[in-house]
Each structure stands twice: as structure tokens, then as C-alpha cells.
Amino acid sequence: MSDPMLIDPQVLKDTSAGTEPAEKPFFFGLFKRKKNNRALLNKIMIWMFGPLFLLWTVGLVITYFIAQNIANAPYDRALADHLRMLKHEVEQQKIAEGIQLSTSAITILQGDPANMIHWEIRDANGNSLGGNASIPLPDNWTYEEDKLRLRNETADNHSIRVAYIWGGKDLNGLPFLMVVSQSNQMRATLQQEILTGMLTPQLIVLPLAALLAGLGLTQGLEPLSLLQERIRARRANDMSPISAELAPAEIVPLVAAMNSLLLRLAATNETQRRFVANAAHQLKTPLAGMRTQAELALRERSPDKLNASLEQLVLGSERATRLVNQLLTLAKAESTEVPNLFPAADVDLNALAEQQSLQWVDIALQKNIDLGFEAAAGPIHISGDRMMLAELLNNLIENAVLYSASSGWVTVRAGGDPLSAYLEVEDSGPGISAEDRDRVFDRFFRVLGSQEDGSGLGLSIVKEIAEHHHGSVAFMPTGHRNGIRGGTCIRVTFNRIKPAPAAAI
């Protein structure tokens, strides 16, 4: 159970919504949601039906022209047949003596009174030789033998279809032009019937197809609604993975990403819980001691004893401050899931080790400890957080100085090769037994028999920072210095070393 103080009130608010009555079915409820919640469905609808209606409009235009061509084809063939019949009739006569059509030809041309064929014969000079002289002719036309020409014209405020051919010759060899015309009314009626027959199924099928597509789309998105309900029904402290068993294959990556987020949130909550528990546990003793010293100081009348109590109070506050700082550093080192918490920068371990060693010189001199620094031959560059790496080294040096006896020594080293770099601290302290070496990196663990004051967090911080920088911590063999054998040597090795600039070597 998560600590109540770590539960976000907004999460509780969202969780309480899970107890509300179930919503209406997805197909109906989806269209009643807020505009921002329908953005996905709207976008899919637009991309589905927008191109569909655009193609349907293009199809209507294409259908219109197809119907027009289909309606014109049989009537144009009939006009061509009438022209060939006229040509045959006139070729048997002499146009200079007038034109007389046979009874059968007149009967064929007259046909249906409502759709009668009008005809005309003209000579090479454009003079009318017989027939209906009111049939309009093209403004510009040239002699093209046996070339059928068709065009739409207007006569007596009615649309007509005109066909004409050059190339006929009478018995005297004189050329003539044959022209026939017919009303477009029957063509328009046929075209309308064709359009009606072709578009009626589309007008019925298209809305049904759109309705079925919308229904299928909403049903296809229903797993999202079910996933939403399952998430809303979860408790605020439930960080268990979301089951992807019933989720479609397209949603599985989304569920996996949500599970990854839940895992990171669980790790963050656990880190916060441990920090609060550790802080409460560790601060209890120093705060109680400070309160005791303050109470003693209030009761003391002797200035010497009063000063002694105040000095103990100051020391207790310093230890508490150091403990709080270490707890905060540990919490930060554990928060590896927080983005940009450790800004990557180019860090020279050689310069960093020298700088941090100088900060401990005064404390080492107070304990009569020989603090030395062995630098590498050149800069040792890695990518990392300079402040956290400095904290790592400070904890190693502090432990070495704290547990080394007077007249002892501490050596800080930096080194590396083309593939790795390391920081190393060796001291002349009592050392750490083999059975305790695996436990010294646990929080608040302290070696039995140690008389020095400490919190047991230093090496835990070192390990957390090293692991975040893809490094490792190991105990190394110790050597001798000034006739005193070393007690503990801890090396932190970092991979992914960045090559140093050529000018700096």
C-alpha cells in the first residue's frame, strides 16, 4: 500500500469517476463526448468520407459524359445511315435538273413525326438544291470527301443535332453536300434515363456504405473505450501492468507504453516512499539528541556546562544537516527515470579529482593524515553530471579520511585507457572484511566495531551515481605508503569514454 501522503489528489479525483454509472454504448456515447475527445474519430471520418465524396463527385461528372455518349451513339448512327441513303438517291440523279427523292426514302426520313429527320442538299457553291434550307451550316467548312461531321446547333429555339458529308457526285459528276438534322429531345430523354439508372443505385448504396463504415469504425474503436473504463476503474495506488489480452494488435504498443509509464511511476513512488521512511527513521535519533541537549542547556546554570551542551547541539545539527544532504543526494541518484535530471556534459575526471581532493586538505591536516593525489598523464574525459560525480568522489574521500587513523594516509587517483576511465581512493584505515564487502553498499549499513560517527549512506550514494553513469564499483588490492599498508582501495570505473581533444594531450 502506497503512503497516503504520496497519492496525487487529481488521481483520486479521476479514480472516483470509476464509481459512476456505466456510460451509454460506445456508438452513441462517442458522438456526445466533448470536441477534443472526438478529435480522433473526426479525423478518421474526414479522411475516409472526404476522399470518398470527392471521388463520388468526379464519378458523377464522368457518368454524365458517359451517358451523353451512350445516348448520342445510336442516334448518330441513324443520321449517318440517312446520309448514306441520301447519297445513294442523289447519285442516281442530275442535281442541275432538281432533286426528287423516292417514296421509300421520304417515308424513312419522316419516320416518327415527333422525331422527324430534316435533310438538305447543297452544291459546291453552297446553294440549296433541295430539302430544308433552314438547317444551320458551320461558319467555316472545307471539302473533306466522305468525312462525317457532327455538331449541336440551335434552330427555332430548339437544340438539334446536325450531320453532314461532302463527297457525293451526281450523274454529271457534280459534287454536292448532304446535310441531315434531328431534334435532341429524344437524346436528352435517353440520357436522363441512363443517368437515372446509373445514379439511383449509387444514391442508395453510398449512404448505406457510409453508415456501415461509420458503424464499423465506431465498433472498431470500442476497445479504446473499454480500455478507458478499465483504467478509470483502477485504484490510485495500483501500478500493476495493464493487460493487453483483449486489446487489438494496433493498441498493444499503446498498452506497452502505458505499462512502461506505470513501471516508472511505481519506481518513482517507491523511491519517494523509501526516502520518507529513511528520513523519518534516521532523523529521529539526531533530533531527539538535539532536543535533549537543548533541554540540558536550559537547566544548566554553569557557563562551562552550558557551553558544552551548546557545542553538542551544534554538532548534532551538523550531523543532521549532513544526513539530510546525503538523503537528498541518494533520492536524486535513485531517480533515474526523471528526464533531464542528470544533464550530460563533458567532464574531465583528472581535473575533477584534483579539485575535490584540495577541498579535503584542511580536514586531513587536522587529523594528521597525508592526503595525496596521483593524476593521470592527461585529461580523462567522460560524459556525465559533474555535480553528481563530485558528490561520488566526496563520499569516497570522506569515508577514507573518517576511518583512517592519525598519521595515516589517503590517496586519490584518476586514470583510464581508450575504452574506460576510473576514479580511485585508497586509505590506510582498518579495511573492510570480505564478508562485509557486499553489504557496505546497502543503505545505513555500518561495519560492526566502528567508533566513527556516520550514517551508512556514503557508499550507497557512490553505487547509485556510478550505476547511473554506466559505471561499476569494485574493491582493489592495497599497497604500502610510508611503511603503512593500505586498508581499503575502492575504484569506480566508467565506460564510454570520450576521446580527448588532440590539442589537450
Side-chain angles (χ1 to χ4, degrees):
M1 180 76 64
S2 298
D3 195 296
M5 67 181 296
L6 299 179
I7 298 178
D8 188 352
Q10 183 62 37
V11 176
L12 291 176
K13 180 179 179 182
D14 294 341
T15 305
S16 64
T19 61
E20 296 177 356
E23 295 184 358
K24 293 183 178 181
F26 182 77
F27 176 74
F28 299 100
L30 188 61
F31 293 96
K32 296 183 179 180
R33 300 183 189 277
K34 295 180 181 179
K35 182 178 181 181
N36 56 348
N37 293 335
R38 291 164 34 205
L40 176 61
L41 182 61
N42 289 345
K43 188 173 183 180
I44 295 177
M45 290 290 188
I46 290 174
W47 280 102
M48 282 184 58
F49 297 119
L52 180 62
F53 281 104
L54 178 62
L55 292 176
W56 184 61
T57 304
V58 174
L60 290 179
V61 176
I62 295 175
T63 302
Y64 172 80
F65 286 106
I66 291 176
Q68 188 179 51
N69 291 333
I70 293 175
N72 284 333
Y75 290 99
D76 287 343
R77 285 195 296 270
L79 290 179
D81 292 339
H82 294 150
L83 286 174
R84 284 191 291 271
M85 183 190 66
L86 281 175
K87 179 181 179 182
H88 177 74
E89 288 282 337
V90 176
E91 284 179 342
Q92 307 302 320
Q93 305 177 38
K94 296 180 180 179
I95 61 176
E97 299 176 0
I99 298 175
Q100 297 291 330
L101 298 182
S102 63
T103 303
S104 59
I106 294 175
T107 302
I108 293 174
L109 290 175
Q110 289 179 349
D112 184 3
N115 194 32
M116 186 171 56
I117 302 296
H118 299 278
W119 61 276
E120 184 182 10
I121 304 297
R122 291 179 179 265
D123 60 16
N125 295 321
N127 298 317
S128 179
L129 302 177
N132 189 348
S134 63
I135 299 177
L137 293 177
D139 296 334
N140 297 311
W141 49 276
T142 56
Y143 180 83
E144 293 178 308
E145 185 175 355
D146 294 330
K147 184 68 173 179
L148 176 64
R149 292 293 183 182
L150 296 165
R151 58 183 295 155
N152 291 322
E153 294 287 350
T154 301
D156 298 331
N157 297 324
H158 291 88
S159 176
I160 62 173
R161 184 76 164 172
V162 179
Y164 54 92
I165 293 181
W166 270 105
K169 293 183 180 180
D170 65 354
L171 293 176
N172 295 328
L174 297 177
F176 57 89
L177 172 68
M178 298 161 292
V179 182
V180 293
S181 68
Q182 186 181 31
S183 173
N184 279 329
Q185 182 178 358
M186 295 299 294
R187 298 168 185 259
T189 302
L190 178 59
Q191 181 180 353
Q192 183 178 0
E193 293 175 352
I194 294 174
L195 286 174
T196 302
M198 296 178 68
L199 296 182
T200 300
Q202 296 185 30
L203 292 175
I204 297 175
V205 172
L206 186 63
L208 291 177
L211 179 62
L212 293 176
L215 179 61
L217 180 61
T218 53
Q219 291 298 321
L221 293 177
E222 187 175 6
L224 291 177
S225 179
L226 297 177
L227 178 62
Q228 168 192 308
E229 296 302 325
R230 288 164 56 190
I231 294 176
R232 287 170 62 91
R234 293 168 69 96
R235 296 179 61 86
N237 59 352
D238 185 3
M239 297 295 174
S240 60
I242 301 172
S243 175
E245 182 178 356
L246 301 178
E250 293 79 6
I251 305 180
V252 170
L254 173 62
V255 176
M258 295 176 64
N259 287 336
S260 177
L261 175 61
L262 289 175
L263 183 63
R264 294 196 298 271
L265 287 175
T268 301
N269 289 344
E270 178 63 19
T271 299
Q272 293 177 353
R273 188 194 64 79
R274 287 201 308 265
F275 173 77
V276 172
N278 294 338
H281 175 74
Q282 293 299 317
L283 289 176
K284 184 190 307 181
T285 300
L287 290 178
M290 292 170 62
R291 179 177 179 178
T292 301
Q293 293 296 330
E295 292 176 349
L296 290 175
L298 290 174
R299 290 197 299 264
E300 290 294 342
R301 295 295 181 264
S302 172
D304 294 336
K305 293 183 178 180
L306 178 60
N307 289 335
S309 296
L310 292 177
E311 289 176 358
Q312 291 298 322
L313 188 60
V314 171
L315 291 176
S317 65
E318 290 177 351
R319 287 193 295 269
T321 301
R322 175 59 180 164
L323 177 60
V324 170
N325 289 335
Q326 285 190 315
L327 286 171
L328 291 174
T329 301
L330 182 61
K332 182 179 179 182
E334 290 178 334
S335 302
T336 57
E337 297 297 333
V338 180
N340 301 323
L341 183 61
F342 295 92
D346 187 72
V347 181
D348 182 4
L349 295 184
N350 209 23
L352 178 68
E354 181 179 6
Q355 179 183 1
Q356 298 307 121
S357 298
L358 291 175
Q359 295 182 6
W360 289 91
V361 170
D362 292 339
I363 299 177
L365 290 176
Q366 292 176 8
K367 291 193 62 174
N368 193 25
I369 293 176
D370 183 9
L371 176 60
F373 171 61
E374 296 180 3
I380 304 295
H381 293 272
I382 69 168
S383 179
D385 183 351
R386 182 180 182 85
M387 292 183 62
M388 297 303 294
L389 292 173
E391 184 66 24
L392 176 149
L393 190 55
N394 279 336
N395 279 277
L396 291 176
I397 299 176
E398 180 184 22
N399 281 351
V401 173
L402 182 65
Y403 291 101
S404 294
S406 179
S407 303
W409 55 268
V410 175
T411 302
V412 181
R413 300 185 184 93
D417 55 45
L419 298 178
S420 64
Y422 67 85
L423 291 173
E424 184 178 280
V425 177
E426 183 179 2
D427 62 63
S428 59
I432 301 175
S433 63
E435 57 270 17
D436 288 337
R437 288 189 174 184
D438 292 335
R439 301 185 59 193
V440 293
F441 296 104
D442 296 339
R443 296 178 183 86
F444 310 113
F445 176 81
R446 299 188 65 203
V447 179
L448 294 177
S450 174
Q451 302 299 321
E452 298 296 336
D453 186 21
S455 63
L457 291 175
L459 292 182
S460 298
I461 295 174
V462 170
K463 183 178 180 182
E464 291 289 346
I465 297 176
E467 289 179 349
H468 179 78
H469 287 82
H470 308 285
S472 60
V473 185
F475 288 91
M476 305 299 293
T478 58
H480 293 78
R481 180 176 174 184
N482 299 330
I484 303 176
R485 181 175 180 79
T488 304
C489 182
I490 299 179
R491 174 179 291 186
V492 182
T493 304
F494 303 95
N495 295 323
R496 300 178 181 179
I497 184 172
K498 298 181 67 174
I505 298 178

